[in-house]
Each structure stands twice: as C-alpha cells, then as structure tokens.
Amino acid sequence: MPLEAILKYPLVVAAGLLAALAVTPLWCRLALRLGFIDRPGGRKIHSEPRPVGGGVAVFAGFHMACAAVFLLPWQPFAGQISIEWWLRFIPLSVGVLVLGLFDDRFGMKPWVKLAGQAALGLAAYALHIRIQNVLGMHLPEWVDFCGTILWFLTIMNAVNLIDGVDGLATGIALIAAVGIGISLLFRHMPGDVLLFLGFAGACLGFLRYNFFPASVFLGDTGSLFIGFTLAALTISTSSKGPAVAAIGMPMLAVGVPLFDSALAVWRRSMRRVLSSAGESGARVAIDQADAEHLHHRLLRQGRRHDQVAWILYAATALLALTGILTTVFNDKALGILAIAFVVTAYVVVRHLSWIELRDTGEVVLQGLVRPVRRNLSLLFYISADLLILNIAWLISTLLIELQSGPLDANLKTVWLKSVPGDVVLPFLVLLGFRSCSQAWSLAGVVEYASLGVAGLLGGVLACAINLLHLQAGAAPWNVLVHKLILFGLAIPCLIGVRGFFRIVQELMNRPGRRSPADPESHLRTLVAGDGADLKLYLRRRTSGIALNENAVIAGVISSDDALRGHYVCGFNVLGSLDDLPVLIHQRNIHRLVWVGAMSANEQSALHRHLPGTGVKLAHWRVIEDVLELPEL
C-alpha cells in the first residue's frame, strides 16, 4: 500500500483536530467580550455562565480538514465529493454560522429560526446538494425538492434538541461521522471517508473543552452547523446507493437525536390536543420547549452529566455498528434492520416513551368520555362489529380455500352467499345481547362474559345453518374448521374493542406515571392495601377522579407477597409493608395512603416505620352512612 494512502487519513483527522483545539480557547476569550454568554436559568441545567457559540471552532476545524483533503497534492482517490462540492458548501456553511451566531447573541423566535433553516435547505438544493435518488430510484423534481429541505430541517433540529448536556451533541456527531465513514470504506469510497474523518476530528478537538464540566457550549452556532454538515455529507456521498443499507446507515448513525426529536413532536402534539380541550383554554404550542428530552429523563434518574453523555454515546455507537453490519452483510440488511427495529421498539416502549404513552392515553380517554358519546358509541360499535366479522370471514375463507387450491368462484360471489349466515346472523345475536348499547367503560367481568357467550352462540348458529345447507359430498369438517377460525378471530377482537377503554386506562400507568411539570409541587405517593378496596381506589385514579390533585402514585405495597412485581390496575406492586423503609428512601416517597381496614399489627408497623421519615399518612375507606330523614 502506498505511503500516501496510509498518511492521508491521520493527516486529515489531525488537521480538523488541531484547528478546533487552537480556535476554541481563542473563541472563549472573544465570546466573553462580544457578549456570547449562556447564563443559567429556566430549563438550563448548568449553574454558572459559560461562553456560547463554540460551533465556530467546529466550523474552522472542518474547513481546515477540507483544505487538507482538496488542496494538498494527493493522488486522485475514489469518491463522490469533489472540490466543487466544497466550494458550494463554503457559502452555505457561512450562512449557517451567521444564523447560529445571531441566535446565540440576540435570540430568535422559533418560527424565524425555522424559516432561516428552510432558506438554507433551499439554497443547498439550488447549489445541487440534494437527495436526487433513494434506493436507486430517481426522485421526481418536486419530491427531491421537498425531501431535501425536510432532510436538512430534520437533522439540524434533531441535533439542536439533543444538545442539552455537556458534550452530548458533539460526541454523538463524532460517533455518527466515524460510523458512516467506516461504512463508506466497505463501499470502496476512500475519498468520501476523508470528509467524515475530518469532521470527526473537528468534533473531537472541540469535545476537549465541551465535555463535562464544559468550559464552552456549542450553542445554536454549533448544533445547527453540525446538523447541517451531517445532512449535507450524507446526501452527497455514496450512502445514496441502491442498497437497503445505504439509506439505513445515515438514519441509524443519527438515530438518537432523530428519536429524541420524534418523541418531542409526539409529546407536544398530544399535549396540544389536551390543552386545547382543557377548561383554561390555554393552548400548548408544538415548538414550546419542555424538560422531557432523553437527557432530562436520565438526569432525573439521578445520573451525573457525564454518565448521561456516555449512555447516549453507547446507544449511538450501537446504532452505528448496526448500520455498519447492514453494509458488510448487504444481502442480509433487511433482516438486520428488522431485528434492530424490534429491539429498539422494545426499549422505547418499555423504558423511554412512557411519558408520551401516558399523554396519548389521556387523549384517547378524553375522546371516549365526551358527553355526546352515547349515539356515537352506538354507531362505533355497530360499525366495528360488522367490520370485524367481515374481516374474520375473509381471513378464514382464504385460509380454507387456498389450502385446498385456487378459489373455485369469485370471492365477491362467495361472500354474498355467506354473509347472511356468517355475518348478519351472529351480528343480530350480538345486538340481542345489547352488546352495542352497554356502557363498556364501566363494564365488569359479567358483561364481557356475556359478550363472549353471544359470540359463541352466533358461531354455533352460523355453523348449524351452514351444515343444514351443506351440499351433497361436501366435507362437514371444512365447515367446522372455517367457523372455528372465523369466530376464534372475531370474538377476541369484539371483546378487545369494548375493552379498549379499560386497556388504555391501565396501560397509561405502565411502567410509570407522567412526570409532573413541577415535581417539587407534587406528592410522590405510595398506596397500601388489598382486595376490592385497593382496586376501587386505583380505578378511581385511572378514571380521572381527582382523589388528590397533587398526588403522583409511585407504586403499591400489598400484604400478598405473590403480587410482588405484578401490576394492579396498571400500578406496580413494589413489595410489602416490611419493605416500606427501603421504598421510602429509594422512591423518594412523601405520602402513604392506606386503603381499607387496618389491623392492629399494621398500625404498629406504620408507627414503627414512618416517624422521622417526613412521610404523611392518609387513610382511605369506603363507608356507608345512615342518614336520618326529616319527619313529614
């Protein structure tokens, strides 16, 4: 291998690294004189003023690396990014820098900043830094135009939103650039790799001053430049190839900020719906900042700033490694991406997005309990039942018919013959059991059992009708199997539609309740009890009945040790009364609510455990009072 091929990679990295290392302290001194200072307060998690606008150093480092790539007398190398690309990128990057500096110094309204970002995306498209094709398919001009601008807006804002902990955005950008660069090596594009390595070197040089405890912040200057550069590089290199891995790699590399942005949009959209229907009439804007980003949640769990950064670095590295594997095993890229999607979905639902799930559940419940729901719910259940029965009939018919060969008749003709016995008759049975007029949000086991019996009777009648009209020589076994599949699919779906209200209520509390906007003003409450009284209390909480407006239930304790680790009405059973001292300390409990009767031993245990902890004790009971009526 020529010596030049060995030296050019470390030289390009060193150019970006040394330039950022040299410019950062110079900018810190200049920033203090020019007023580029980020003061603590509001959502900010630092306690002392710091110079801001450190993206100037990353800007200088990246362009120094580009100069090393394009101006040093290297032998020609393979790649899609040329010096012409750099010359087009320079004015665009200056525009990003000016936009960020103006925002860091004077502040801009969100819509003004968004308009500036869109203008930069438009300029990039005009200068032929655009998507052009996806998976080998050339995009129509209007799709390319909209997609390019949307790509720039998405990546710039994703990096901007994740920049909330010292060194977080810079480190994620560094790992993403290295990951994409390695994937390009496997695509035999060493020239494009140099640009990503130079960008990584610039980020590494700035990270020396930006990691916890940071002496300078990226600011919008840095986060917008980093996002813009990553967006421009990824759509300008061979990552736009015909393979599935080509589009998967850049998406995975910036997966953490993209995921955080998606959660923010989801969360704020749900809260906007909730606020618009509230009594106060105050609407929450989509662009209204909050303290629910991934780094905020990890910090609230008691982790230090550097620990939060390393956790999200590791997540980015794992996603980047997945992207590299899709590149190496291109023929298995879809399988790798599918496995990654399943694992990520589990982590998201189980550990990360419970705040968004809670808000979404509130929106669903709010729509289900509108005062005008009676006629609407009747129409909904009638429509849902007919749809479920028809879909179940279609699936069961296809399974039976296709197993024995091609369909003997037109599917529409078969459906017209079967619908009276297989759909209409069972539906009439459901109506006879008042399955569409029940108050299902308040239903109990008996109502659901009645619905199951109605579905079963409808299935038996449908089977009987079909057997009576069975043609000579036809096998009755096929009829039985068909009805078994049909109603085996339909009955669980019919029950599930009616149980949706209760399912949403209980899932809203798993694995935890939504963090209040002001945690200091809310009481973290532990509920203790057993049996029907406990279920009644918790159901009243999930039904929106305000038993205590400032209470946030942290969990349940029960004398039944078999319930430990399980859920009652969506709330986690953390242990028994013996675990109370440990739970008070671990869960930061402010209040204990005892539900139902209290024995002498339980009173003694509470008197032994609670004094000196500062925990308030409340007793909730369901009692029946005899009222004296006045004499007539």
Side-chain angles (χ1 to χ4, degrees), residues 211 289 346 471:
F211 194 72
Y346 171 78
Q471 296 178 357

Side-chain angles (χ1 to χ4, degrees), residues 585-597:
H585 175 71
Q586 289 181 344
R587 304 279 173 161
N588 191 26
I589 301 300
H590 305 122
R591 182 170 175 266
L592 175 68
V593 177
W594 191 276
V595 175

Side-chain angles (χ1 to χ4, degrees), residues 583-620:
L583 293 174
I584 290 173
H585 175 71
Q586 289 181 344
R587 304 279 173 161
N588 191 26
I589 301 300
H590 305 122
R591 182 170 175 266
L592 175 68
V593 177
W594 191 276
V595 175
M598 185 186 304
S599 68
N601 289 336
E602 290 166 341
Q603 289 185 19
S604 175
L606 292 177
H607 292 159
R608 186 170 64 252
H609 293 318
L610 292 184
T613 62
V615 174
K616 298 179 181 179
L617 178 63
H619 193 187
W620 188 87

Side-chain angles (χ1 to χ4, degrees), residues 15 36 45 65 69 142 204 239 258 292 372 387 403 470 474 480 547 554 559 570 596:
F36 286 87
I45 57 179
V69 171
W142 69 272
L204 182 61
S239 60
L258 284 178
E292 301 292 356
V372 296
L387 182 63
Q403 184 178 9
L470 191 64
L480 295 174
L547 299 173
S559 60

Side-chain angles (χ1 to χ4, degrees), residues 62 196 376 394-395 427:
F62 177 68
F196 283 96
L376 291 178
L394 177 63
I395 294 174
F427 175 70

Side-chain angles (χ1 to χ4, degrees), residues 382-392:
I382 289 175
S383 303
D385 289 352
L386 290 172
L387 182 63
I388 288 171
L389 289 170
N390 277 285
I391 292 176

Side-chain angles (χ1 to χ4, degrees), residues 85-427:
W85 179 92
W86 182 39
L87 295 177
R88 296 195 303 269
F89 181 78
I90 288 175
L92 294 172
S93 63
V94 171
V96 175
L97 194 72
V98 171
L99 179 68
L101 286 172
F102 192 88
D103 189 36
D104 285 335
R105 181 62 181 86
F106 302 105
M108 289 189 295
K109 293 182 178 180
W111 67 268
V112 176
K113 184 164 63 174
L114 187 65
Q117 296 170 2
L120 289 165
L122 177 61
Y125 180 85
L127 292 174
H128 298 282
I129 300 178
R130 55 180 70 167
I131 298 175
Q132 294 182 327
N133 66 79
V134 174
L135 299 178
M137 297 181 294
H138 189 75
L139 298 177
E141 187 172 351
W142 69 272
V143 176
D144 188 23
F145 174 78
C146 297
T148 298
I149 295 177
L150 181 62
W151 177 251
F152 277 102
L153 289 176
T154 300
I155 302 301
M156 292 170 75
N157 284 288
V159 176
N160 185 249
L161 288 174
I162 203 69
D163 183 28
V165 171
D166 295 353
L168 181 56
T170 311
I172 286 177
L174 166 62
I175 297 169
V178 172
I180 297 174
I182 293 174
S183 73
L184 291 177
L185 277 178
F186 288 101
R187 294 180 176 278
H188 309 291
M189 292 292 177
D192 295 344
V193 175
L194 292 173
L195 274 295
F196 283 96
L197 293 183
F199 180 69
C203 291
L204 182 61
F206 179 72
L207 192 61
R208 158 68 178 79
Y209 300 94
N210 187 229
F211 194 72
F212 181 79
S215 58
V216 59
F217 295 149
L218 268 178
D220 277 10
T221 307
S223 61
L224 294 181
F225 175 75
I226 285 176
F228 187 87
T229 304
L230 280 174
L233 285 173
T234 53
I235 64 174
S236 301
T237 66
S238 61
S239 60
K240 300 182 304 178
V244 173
I247 199 167
M249 180 64 220
M251 296 291 289
L252 288 168
V254 292
V256 170
L258 284 178
F259 170 66
D260 186 60
S261 300
L263 281 186
V265 173
W266 176 12
R267 177 176 64 249
R268 295 172 188 179
S269 299
M270 293 299 101
R271 292 181 179 176
R272 179 176 175 83
V273 173
L274 290 172
S275 65
S276 65
E279 295 180 0
S280 63
R283 293 176 66 87
V284 176
I286 296 294
D287 58 1
Q288 182 173 326
D290 57 30
E292 301 292 356
H293 292 288
L294 295 178
H295 47 276
H296 291 125
R297 301 183 194 190
L298 292 172
L299 286 171
R300 280 200 297 269
Q301 293 176 5
R303 293 181 171 87
R304 301 190 309 270
H305 289 218
D306 56 333
Q307 291 176 328
V308 170
W310 283 113
I311 289 172
L312 295 180
Y313 288 169
T316 302
L318 285 173
L319 290 173
L321 178 61
T322 303
I324 293 171
L325 290 176
T326 62
T327 303
V328 176
F329 303 101
N330 187 44
D331 55 334
K332 300 178 177 63
L334 277 175
I336 295 172
L337 289 175
I339 294 172
F341 174 79
V342 171
V343 173
T344 304
Y346 171 78
V347 173
V348 168
V349 174
R350 182 66 181 86
H351 298 287
L352 296 176
S353 65
W354 54 268
I355 293 176
E356 289 72 23
L357 292 173
R358 169 75 188 186
D359 289 340
T360 306
E362 289 186 4
V363 171
V364 172
L365 293 182
Q366 187 182 77
L368 290 173
V369 297
R370 298 275 172 89
V372 296
R373 75 179 189 275
R374 183 170 181 82
N375 293 331
L376 291 178
S377 64
L378 179 64
L379 180 62
F380 169 76
Y381 288 129
I382 289 175
S383 303
D385 289 352
L386 290 172
L387 182 63
I388 288 171
L389 289 170
N390 277 285
I391 292 176
W393 177 90
L394 177 63
I395 294 174
S396 58
T397 301
L398 290 175
L399 288 175
I400 296 296
E401 295 293 337
L402 294 178
Q403 184 178 9
S404 58
L407 287 173
D408 297 330
N410 183 278
L411 191 61
K412 180 179 178 181
T413 304
V414 176
W415 176 77
L416 289 173
K417 287 184 178 181
S418 303
V419 70
D422 289 349
V423 175
V424 175
L425 182 60
F427 175 70

Side-chain angles (χ1 to χ4, degrees), residues 421-454:
D422 289 349
V423 175
V424 175
L425 182 60
F427 175 70
L428 293 176
V429 174
L430 291 172
L431 287 181
F433 276 74
R434 299 174 57 84
S435 62
C436 296
S437 56
Q438 291 275 5
W440 287 104
S441 60
L442 303 175
V445 175
V446 173
E447 286 78 13
Y448 286 104
S450 176
L451 176 64
V453 170

